[in-house]
């Protein structure tokens, strides 16, 4: 076997993640590696925590990036808060609510499911009914921004219901962090996890998490060991700690990816969180204008639609949606996403996340999509999409 250096093609990433990585972040990744207990690195860790607090809009002391992707952040939340025999109300309106259920079961808990149609948000009335029916429930778990459909649920209302019923919340914000309003403290969220590869425009492989004091108290009051050694917060806290003092060795942190995350969060701080939310919304409005001018429609109703994850219904005349995505990739170096689960073959997922949410990407995407669909005989309107988007962009 022979191997040469790997040089990937330059793609425009407009799928459900990862997103295009900002050039400043790529440069940060190339900086010299130092030890994970080096005092200089420990100082940077403190800055990362503070920047994450800003991104999450929280003062939670226990805010850190897990040294693994968003799925590990999810598992950290469930593994630390769910003990055998616990009842957890899980809201499912897509693929990632199902993964929450899996975590509850693997922790020995009992999931009580609140199931919604895919593409719909979680109905607070149905969540409240489940909480009333199960007063023994310890946790309400839900996805704020469902990546499989592009639907956004009302996290503030759901969190209030949980508190009214003396429950903690576990919340998936993998697609919302940095892209749409997320206010951990104001909304009263307890255990929140996210990812770096979407609206933060960083590389995959880290999972920002934050825990309220209520959640920390529950973790410290456990009567059983956390089932995962690596994700046991009682151990991880010894490494991430507080202040800039001595750290207990737990694992070798992914040093260079953390440089990248530090740079990503610095970029977010420079832009301003509310400006970033506004940019994602403005780019969505431009994409929406072009998509609708083409005669295509969105899967999620407008009031519940995520600006950064756009689910577009596949038009009449396209029997092989994968062929459309393949041609976009091969001819235009453009990646869009397929539907997941029950939405496979029914929708495309077009991401406008972080560095990818810019006018050039939108106009290129619309032009390429129109060209491919027209050539394949789709029932669309041609010649209007790009100008409709440009009118919105001003």
């Amino acid at each position: 076997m022979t191997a040469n250096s790997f040089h990937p093609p330059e793609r425009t990433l407009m799928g459900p993640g990862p997103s295009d990585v900002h050039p400043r972040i790529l440069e940060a990744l190339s900086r010299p590696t130092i030890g994970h207990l080096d005092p200089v690195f420990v100082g940077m860790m403190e800055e990362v925590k503070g920047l994450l607090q800003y991104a999450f809009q929280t003062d939670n002391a226990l805010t850190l990036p897990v040294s693994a992707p968003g799925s590990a952040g999810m598992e950290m939340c469930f593994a630390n808060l769910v003990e055998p025999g616990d009842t957890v109300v899980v809201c499912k309106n897509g693929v990632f609510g199902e993964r929450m259920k899996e975590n509850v079961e693997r922790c020995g808990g009992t999931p009580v499911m609140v199931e919604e149609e895919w593409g719909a948000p979680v109905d607070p009335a149905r969540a409240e009914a489940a909480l009333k029916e199960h007063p023994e429930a310890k946790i309400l778990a839900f996805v704020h921004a469902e990546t499989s459909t592009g639907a956004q649920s009302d996290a503030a209302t759901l969190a209030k219901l949980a508190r009214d019923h003396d429950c903690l919340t576990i919340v998936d914000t993998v697609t919302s962090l940095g892209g749409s309003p997320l206010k951990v403290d104001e909304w009263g969220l307890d255990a929140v996890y996210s990812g770096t590869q979407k609206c933060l425009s960083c590389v995959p492989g880290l999972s920002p998490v934050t825990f309220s004091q209520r959640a920390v108290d529950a973790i410290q009051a456990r009567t059983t060991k956390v089932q995962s050694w690596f994700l046991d917060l009682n151990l991880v806290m010894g490494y991430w700690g507080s202040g800039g003092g001595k750290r207990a060795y737990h694992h070798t942190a992914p040093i260079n990816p953390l440089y990248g995350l530090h740079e990503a969060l610095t970029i977010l701080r420079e832009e301003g969180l509310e400006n970033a939310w506004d940019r994602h919304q403005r780019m969505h409005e431009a994409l929406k204008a072009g998509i609708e001018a083409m005669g295509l429609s969105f899967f999620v109703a407008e009031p519940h639609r995520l600006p950064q994850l756009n689910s577009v219904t596949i038009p009449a005349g396209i029997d092989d949606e994968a062929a459309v995505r393949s041609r976009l990739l091969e001819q235009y170096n453009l990646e869009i996403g397929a539907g997941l689960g029950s939405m496979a073959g029914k929708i495309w997922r077009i991401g406008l996340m972080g560095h990818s949410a810019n006018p050039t990407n939108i106009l290129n995407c619309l032009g390429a999509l129109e060209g491919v669909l027209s050539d394949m005989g789709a029932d669309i309107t041609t010649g209007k999409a790009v100008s409709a988007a440009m009118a919105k962009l001003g």
Side-chain angles (χ1 to χ4, degrees), residues 146-175:
E146 179 50 73
T147 313
S148 62
T149 64
Q152 182 169 244
S153 294
D154 186 346
T157 297
L158 292 168
K160 183 179 185 305
L161 288 174
R163 288 192 173 236
D164 289 346
H165 291 270
D166 198 26
C167 284
L168 296 170
T169 49
I170 296 179
V171 188
D172 178 330
T173 67
V174 170
T175 298

Side-chain angles (χ1 to χ4, degrees), residues 31-52:
R31 294 170 187 167
T33 303
I34 58 177
H36 62 287
L37 294 172
D38 187 300
V40 175
F41 186 73
V42 170
M44 189 207 71
M45 289 168 66
E46 284 303 302
E47 290 187 4
V48 166
K49 287 166 62 176
L51 290 164
L52 279 177

Side-chain angles (χ1 to χ4, degrees), residues 119-122 144 149-154 300-307 309:
V122 176
H144 179 219
T149 64
Q152 182 169 244
S153 294
D154 186 346
V300 177
E302 191 161 3
H304 313 299
R305 193 179 298 162
L306 284 168
L309 199 287

Side-chain angles (χ1 to χ4, degrees), residues 55-302:
F56 277 123
Q57 290 291 277
T58 184
D59 291 326
N60 289 341
L62 187 53
T63 301
L64 58 99
V66 181
S67 299
S71 295
M74 170 178 61
E75 190 160 342
M76 173 178 275
C77 291
F78 283 93
N80 281 272
L81 287 170
V82 180
E83 295 192 74
D86 285 347
T87 297
V88 180
V89 175
V90 178
C91 303
K92 174 188 170 185
N93 62 336
V95 165
F96 295 94
E98 178 66 25
R99 293 189 181 182
M100 288 182 153
K101 175 189 175 186
E102 283 280 332
N103 272 266
V104 172
E105 292 174 339
R106 289 168 185 264
C107 293
T110 302
V112 172
M113 300 305 295
V114 176
E115 306 227 16
E116 307 288 357
E117 291 291 329
W118 284 41
V122 176
D123 182 348
R126 299 187 71 242
E128 184 175 25
L131 290 168
K132 287 180 177 177
E133 188 176 344
H134 293 275
E136 78 283 7
K138 178 180 176 182
I139 296 166
L140 174 68
F142 62 89
V143 180
H144 179 219
E146 179 50 73
T147 313
S148 62
T149 64
Q152 182 169 244
S153 294
D154 186 346
T157 297
L158 292 168
K160 183 179 185 305
L161 288 174
R163 288 192 173 236
D164 289 346
H165 291 270
D166 198 26
C167 284
L168 296 170
T169 49
I170 296 179
V171 188
D172 178 330
T173 67
V174 170
T175 298
S176 52
L177 181 65
S180 52
L182 170 61
K183 302 177 180 181
V184 168
D185 285 0
E186 182 179 322
W187 296 349
L189 310 181
D190 292 304
V192 183
Y193 60 91
S194 191
T196 50
Q197 75 277 19
K198 297 188 185 272
C199 294
L200 297 182
S201 279
C202 194
V203 291
L206 295 169
S207 179
V209 296
T210 186
F211 294 85
S212 71
Q213 188 57 51
R214 292 200 327 146
V216 172
D217 291 344
I219 293 166
Q220 293 177 337
R222 287 179 64 101
T223 58
T224 60
K225 268 190 176 183
V226 174
Q227 63 173 352
S228 168
W229 178 89
F230 180 68
L231 298 175
D232 186 344
L233 274 167
N234 293 296
L235 302 176
V236 175
M237 281 188 276
Y239 176 53
W240 277 93
S242 60
K246 185 175 175 60
R247 303 296 173 95
Y249 169 69
H250 178 258
H251 66 277
T252 301
I255 293 156
N256 290 63
L258 283 168
Y259 296 166
L261 177 58
H262 183 279
E263 192 69 21
L265 293 168
T266 299
I267 291 168
L268 179 64
R269 187 65 187 252
E270 288 171 357
E271 180 178 12
L273 193 54
E274 292 186 356
N275 292 333
W277 297 339
D278 180 65
R279 173 171 54 86
H280 283 86
Q281 185 62 41
R282 286 186 289 107
M283 295 304 105
H284 163 74
E285 294 297 336
L287 179 69
K288 172 178 176 287
I291 289 292
E292 292 180 342
M294 211 183 299
L296 303 180
S297 60
F298 287 81
F299 175 60
V300 177
E302 191 161 3

